[in-house]
Amino acid sequence: MRARPIPGFVQVDVVDTGIGIAPENQDKVFDRFFRVDDPNVQEFPGTGLGLAIVKSLVEMHEGRLWLESEVNVGTTFSFTLPIVQAEAEVIQVVPK
């Protein structure tokens, strides 16, 4: 995993060297309840909700989520979140 600033945002990349995701499934993995019909995937339990939830949370915070993948090489999931500058809190000291 790596994080880096880009103008107005922070970008986080999560990289794996797994089985990869075929091009025809790359858009579908963000759909609720979608699980790739592959024995390597089906041997592990899951509901197909994880990436859909992540996408919703990222978008609720005005970010973006995407992936880059190559079969038998691995996948990089990336997302951005806006950088918010907190206003400095002003504390007044009242003399006694």
Side-chain angles (χ1 to χ4, degrees):
M1 184 169 77
R2 59 183 177 245
R4 63 188 167 108
I6 58 175
F9 293 85
V10 62
Q11 179 174 325
V12 177
D13 302 312
V14 180
V15 181
D16 76 36
T17 55
I19 62 172
I21 302 168
E24 62 271 15
N25 292 321
Q26 291 182 9
D27 287 336
K28 297 175 192 173
V29 298
F30 297 110
D31 294 344
R32 292 183 307 161
F33 304 110
F34 178 78
R35 296 195 69 208
V36 175
D37 188 19
D38 180 297
N40 293 316
V41 174
Q42 297 298 325
E43 73 179 79
F44 296 99
T47 60
L49 287 173
L51 289 171
I53 292 169
V54 169
K55 184 176 184 196
S56 290
L57 290 170
V58 167
E59 289 177 349
M60 284 171 39
H61 287 88
E62 300 180 10
R64 192 170 74 90
L65 172 67
W66 69 96
L67 69 85
E68 295 175 5
S69 187
E70 189 174 336
V71 175
N72 298 320
V73 175
T75 304
T76 300
F77 288 93
S78 301
F79 66 91
T80 58
L81 292 173
I83 296 172
V84 177
Q85 297 292 331
E87 292 184 28
E89 185 176 324
V90 177
I91 301 173
Q92 285 187 328
V93 177
V94 180
K96 291 184 180 184

